[in-house]
Amino acid sequence: MDFLSIVGALIPVAGLIAFGWVLRRLRLLADADFWTGAEKLAYFVLLPVLLFRNISSVDISHVDIGRLAAALVLPTVVITIVLFALHRVLAADAPSFTSVLQGAIRFNTYIGLSLSATLFGPEGAALAAIVGAVLVPVVNVLSSIAFEVFLVDKRSWLALGRSVIVNPLVLGCAAGAAWNLLPVTTPEVVAGIIDPLAAAALPIGLLCVGAGIRQVSVRAHAFAFLTSSVVKLLILPAATVVSMLAFGIRGEAAVVGLIFQSIATASSAYVMARQLGGNAALMAALIAGQTIISMFTLPIVLSLGAQLLL
């Protein structure tokens, strides 16, 4: 996997994101309610179906999921602890820090799945679903802890646990893993329903990513923006490569894990910031800025990482 192959895999991803941005600005599809509904459809229905389909239908018995999970979680937790310790330096106030943290550790699942599937085919898609299943609960819990610690409006730990357990992405992965373990195959009539839904997840999701890009100013929070983006797009990937090598994880599973740790932060982070009292303006800037910047950093990070991990 060389630099040019990574660039080639990124072109359709970037193209769909750019097309979503254009569509949002056309009069025909400028309605905010339309895009809100599309985002909910992709997140609560299409993406869980895709994750279920990927995990339930591919043999991933050769993957040491325990060590892969440890290699992914360790750098994420360590970087989170470091950011917590430096929160007074990194952000002007508590709401801004919660956005810095979300920008530094969360990831856009649509981009990760699409890029993994383009580079490695069906097995890459299945590995991406596993990586997502490992990291989605972790980054959601860590982000929620930041809101619990730094903001006044606190939720109970029971509510936090419930929000992770009922996360649609976690449910889709869990259902797929359970079905994979059963000695049965998916009936054709069922496959005829879920396969088109799964196929629609990534195109619609990437269009929504593009439509969600907002024109914002980072002047007031330039240092926070820069710090969060450098951690997400460079430092976390580097730490992940070291962790993968330390745990002996190599091959496609290691590269797919690196993809998720190297891509832009999640679009849903803006919703979390707005609902729980974070700095929503900074979060919007991080989502937009990282999505654009990552299209330039990803080929370099992945090509260098692949030389060590493949």
Side-chain angles (χ1 to χ4, degrees):
M1 189 178 70
D2 56 17
F3 182 87
L4 291 179
S5 66
I6 297 170
V7 172
L10 271 173
I11 289 175
V13 175
L16 281 169
I17 292 173
F19 191 39
W21 184 86
V22 171
L23 288 175
R24 177 65 184 266
R25 278 135 192 92
L26 295 177
R27 290 185 179 181
L28 181 63
L29 294 178
D31 186 0
D33 290 339
F34 170 83
W35 290 107
T36 299
E39 289 174 358
K40 289 181 178 180
L41 174 66
Y43 184 75
F44 288 100
V45 179
L46 301 181
L47 189 53
V49 170
L50 174 63
L51 294 173
F52 169 83
R53 192 61 169 144
N54 287 345
I55 294 181
S56 67
S57 59
V58 177
D59 180 15
I60 40 95
S61 57
H62 61 286
V63 179
D64 190 335
I65 297 177
R67 282 196 299 155
L68 176 61
L72 290 167
V73 172
L74 180 61
T76 304
V77 171
V78 169
I79 283 178
T80 299
I81 293 172
V82 173
L83 292 177
F84 266 65
L86 299 176
H87 71 275
R88 295 185 185 277
V89 178
L90 301 178
D93 49 47
S96 297
F97 174 73
T98 61
S99 294
V100 168
L101 180 66
Q102 286 202 90
I105 65 172
R106 298 190 70 173
F107 52 87
N108 193 303
T109 307
Y110 301 111
I111 298 176
L113 281 165
S114 182
L115 187 54
S116 300
T118 302
L119 287 172
F120 300 119
E123 179 160 354
L127 289 169
I130 294 170
V131 170
V134 170
L135 286 177
V136 164
V138 173
V139 298
N140 273 280
V141 167
L142 293 176
S143 299
S144 297
I145 289 174
F147 283 100
E148 290 278 343
V149 171
F150 290 99
L151 298 183
V152 177
D153 185 17
K154 300 180 183 296
R155 299 180 296 168
S156 69
W157 288 103
L158 180 62
L160 173 60
R162 188 186 304 115
S163 68
V164 172
I165 294 173
V166 301
N167 184 295
L169 308 189
V170 175
L171 292 176
C173 293
W179 188 262
N180 195 308
L181 295 174
L182 296 176
V184 294
T185 57
T186 304
E188 289 187 12
V189 64
V190 176
I193 296 173
I194 65 175
D195 284 352
L197 292 173
L202 294 181
I204 293 178
L206 291 173
L207 289 175
C208 290
V209 171
I213 292 178
R214 297 166 175 82
Q215 187 174 358
V216 292
S217 173
V218 299
R219 189 173 302 172
H221 300 280
F223 181 72
F225 175 89
L226 180 63
T227 302
S228 183
S229 298
V230 168
V231 171
K232 182 68 190 76
L233 303 178
L234 297 176
I235 295 177
L236 181 58
T240 299
V241 170
V242 173
S243 183
M244 290 287 183
L245 294 175
F247 281 94
I249 304 296
R250 293 179 179 270
E252 293 179 359
V255 176
V256 170
L258 178 60
I259 288 172
F260 274 76
Q261 299 284 58
S262 308
I263 54 181
T265 191
S267 302
S268 57
Y270 176 78
V271 178
M272 193 172 192
R274 190 175 55 188
Q275 291 181 345
L276 299 181
N279 188 328
L282 174 58
M283 197 69 251
L286 284 165
I287 294 166
Q290 287 186 12
T291 300
I292 296 170
I293 296 169
S294 66
M295 295 302 159
F296 299 95
T297 59
L298 269 171
I300 300 171
V301 170
L302 294 182
S303 59
L304 292 175
Q307 293 181 26
L308 298 171
L309 297 175
L310 287 179

